[in-house]
Amino acid sequence: AFATSCFIWMNYGIMSSDGTLFFTNLVGTLLNCSYVLLYYWYAPNKVIVYRTVGVFIVFLMGVHMYSTYMYEHPQEIQNFLGSIGVIITVGTFASPLAQMKLVIETKCSESMSFPLSVMVLAQCVMWWWYGHLIGDYFVQFPNICGSTLAVIQLYVITKYWHNKPKTVSSVMDTV
């Protein structure tokens, strides 16, 4: 999902003539593709990885074809890519919600990374600020959502920081 998000934002950077968006997401796309290749190399079930990558490639080709052939004006393509980028980015930032549910049920946050959550918050704040500086709501909105979710995640982590893990079944037995 990260490679897909970076690829969409890289294309958005091209359409909006924003070198910063383009370059940072080009680097992100390359790094994420490298990660996927390494994961594939060591994955015990390569078929699942192969299929997942195939789905993302088909999705990206579909987005490219749709934006190329359905829109005549660059601003329309930019709006389309921005909308897709917002949806994917917000979905990516929301992915830890399932883990937060488990942390709340077990009352133990050892399965969530505090440093990673801090870095997500810092990254979202910086991208929100950049979006604010350039006046781009497509850049601002997902990072406001990501910042909010990161703050909630940090709150949950700190609330259950020193608790011993409980099993989900023992939590369900008390309900």
Side-chain angles (χ1 to χ4, degrees):
F2 284 114
T4 305
S5 178
C6 286
F7 187 79
I8 295 290
W9 285 112
M10 181 182 72
N11 285 295
Y12 180 81
I14 291 169
M15 294 309 301
S16 61
S17 300
D18 187 326
T20 301
L21 271 173
F22 169 75
F23 183 74
T24 55
N25 286 291
L26 171 64
V27 171
T29 300
L30 294 174
L31 288 173
N32 281 289
C33 287
S34 300
Y35 169 76
V36 170
L37 287 172
L38 282 171
Y39 183 80
Y40 178 78
W41 182 267
Y42 292 105
N45 190 347
K46 294 182 182 349
V47 173
I48 292 174
V49 179
Y50 187 72
R51 287 181 185 160
T52 304
V53 169
V55 166
F56 283 112
I57 289 171
V58 168
F59 172 76
L60 290 173
M61 287 174 52
V63 167
H64 176 71
M65 298 296 281
Y66 186 82
S67 64
T68 301
Y69 296 109
M70 294 303 291
Y71 299 110
E72 293 180 21
H73 304 290
Q75 185 63 43
E76 293 174 326
I77 298 171
Q78 182 181 345
N79 290 341
F80 173 71
L81 291 173
S83 298
I84 297 294
V86 165
I87 291 166
I88 292 172
T89 304
V90 169
T92 302
F93 288 144
S95 64
L97 290 175
Q99 190 64 30
M100 281 197 293
K101 180 180 183 258
L102 180 66
V103 166
I104 292 168
E105 287 174 350
T106 61
K107 301 199 182 322
C108 177
S109 65
E110 69 181 17
S111 64
M112 295 177 79
S113 172
F114 184 82
L116 180 62
S117 299
V118 169
M119 292 288 82
V120 168
L121 177 61
Q123 167 296 128
C124 286
V125 168
M126 286 187 280
W127 274 111
W128 167 79
W129 182 248
Y130 179 72
H132 175 72
L133 290 175
I134 64 171
D136 191 328
Y137 295 110
F138 286 121
V139 176
Q140 290 178 45
F141 180 75
N143 291 294
I144 289 170
C145 294
S147 297
T148 303
L149 290 169
V151 167
I152 293 168
Q153 190 172 351
L154 287 168
Y155 170 75
V156 169
I157 290 171
T158 55
K159 181 175 180 177
Y160 300 114
W161 187 265
H162 295 291
N163 292 356
K164 297 279 186 216
K166 295 181 184 178
T167 62
V168 177
S169 60
S170 70
V171 171
M172 294 304 200
D173 293 339
T174 61
V175 175

